[in-house]
Amino acid sequence: MQLFKALLSQLLACAAVLGLRTLFPLPISVWQAAAMQACLAALCSRGFRQPVWWLPIHLLFIPTILLGLSWQVPAWLYLLMLLLLTLLFWGTVKGDVPLFLSSSAVSEALIEIVSREEAQSFVDIGAGFGTVVVPLGNAKPDMAIVALERAPLPWLLADWRCRNLTNIRVGRSSFWDQDLRQFDVVFAFLSPLVMAKIGEKVRREMRAGCLFISSSFPIPNGVPESVLELNDRRKTKLYCYRIGRI
Ligand SMILES: C[S@@+](CC[C@H](N)C(=O)[O-])C[C@H]1O[C@@H](n2cnc3c(N)ncnc32)[C@H](O)[C@@H]1O
């Protein structure tokens, strides 16, 4: 659905620019037309209520193609870029959460929280490159850690980074298929779009008294036990929910 909306936005914007150029033959350059197309595509995307991370894609799509054509980039490079982006972002076109990474302040705060909780088990649902689980695995060698990541390239990198950390298992599976009952602390850095469904999942599966921590995005209608504001660039907020009292 997202891919369809993206294609439609691009096509509508192309049609609008071509139509305008035919009706009003203004002396604008190809680059100015590309800039107009990019802005219109971004507007259409907002109109179709696409998630906000589509904006840079729409803004850069046609200008990047033009740049490639003017530099005479070989065709195989486009294919390679497409392959790398697909392996990196995998389900994003279908509406999955894209890859963006937590700061070191987040992993430091998590180390403090799991120590205070005396947690024996931890899972990062959507682990990216292992930005959170690697420092956690080093700091807490006795804690059993699971990192779940669906996109192939981030999963490969996370798996490689965890190769010497025997307390971490990196799984290439969807967190929707993972039962959360076995974990004392569950961590997520996902997207506002999935938080209501995640809220249902943690309420249904996690044991009473355990902790669910969501970076940046609260559970709609959930009552956090505490909210930590970190001193990193994004001023990340960690929403901590005590199961049984959400
Ligand atoms: C915002 S990133 C967070 C990465 C990491 N947890 C961190 O804090 O740095 C979200 C990650 O979740 C992954 N993801 C999205 N949907 C997923 C799913 N259903 N199962 C497993 N991973 C998923 C994405 O591929 C992406 O790497």
Side-chain angles (χ1 to χ4, degrees), residues 99-114:
L99 174 73
F100 38 102
L101 303 174
S102 291
S103 65
S104 57
V106 171
S107 9
E108 281 157 25
L110 288 175
I111 292 169
E112 264 185 56
I113 296 174
V114 294

Side-chain angles (χ1 to χ4, degrees), residues 45-142:
S45 161
R46 292 313 287 155
F48 290 137
R49 298 185 186 283
Q50 284 207 280
V52 75
W53 62 76
W54 279 93
L55 283 184
I57 299 175
H58 285 296
L59 288 172
L60 293 176
F61 187 64
I62 291 289
T64 310
I65 291 179
L66 272 185
L67 211 61
L69 287 174
S70 65
W71 286 348
Q72 299 192 334
V73 173
W76 60 263
L77 209 58
Y78 290 107
L79 197 64
L80 186 69
M81 271 167 60
L82 181 70
L83 193 70
L84 279 177
L85 288 174
T86 309
L87 292 175
L88 195 60
F89 291 103
W90 206 240
T92 305
V93 284
K94 285 188 289 163
D96 257 8
V97 180
L99 174 73
F100 38 102
L101 303 174
S102 291
S103 65
S104 57
V106 171
S107 9
E108 281 157 25
L110 288 175
I111 292 169
E112 264 185 56
I113 296 174
V114 294
S115 305
R116 198 178 54 227
E117 293 286 316
E118 297 181 4
Q120 303 295 310
S121 51
F122 175 98
V123 62
D124 182 357
I125 51 174
F129 298 149
T131 328
V132 162
V133 291
V134 169
L136 211 57
N138 277 313
K140 308 293 293 176
D142 295 333

Side-chain angles (χ1 to χ4, degrees), residues 31 34 46 62 117 148 179 181-182 187:
W31 286 104
R46 292 313 287 155
I62 291 289
E117 293 286 316
L148 296 176
D179 193 327
R181 212 169 307 273
Q182 57 182 288
F187 172 74

Side-chain angles (χ1 to χ4, degrees), residues 120-122 146 169 178-185 205-207 210:
Q120 303 295 310
S121 51
F122 175 98
V146 173
R169 177 176 72 78
Q178 171 70 52
D179 193 327
L180 301 176
R181 212 169 307 273
Q182 57 182 288
F183 301 105
D184 296 336
V185 176
E205 295 177 6
M206 285 183 74
R207 284 173 287 120
C210 293

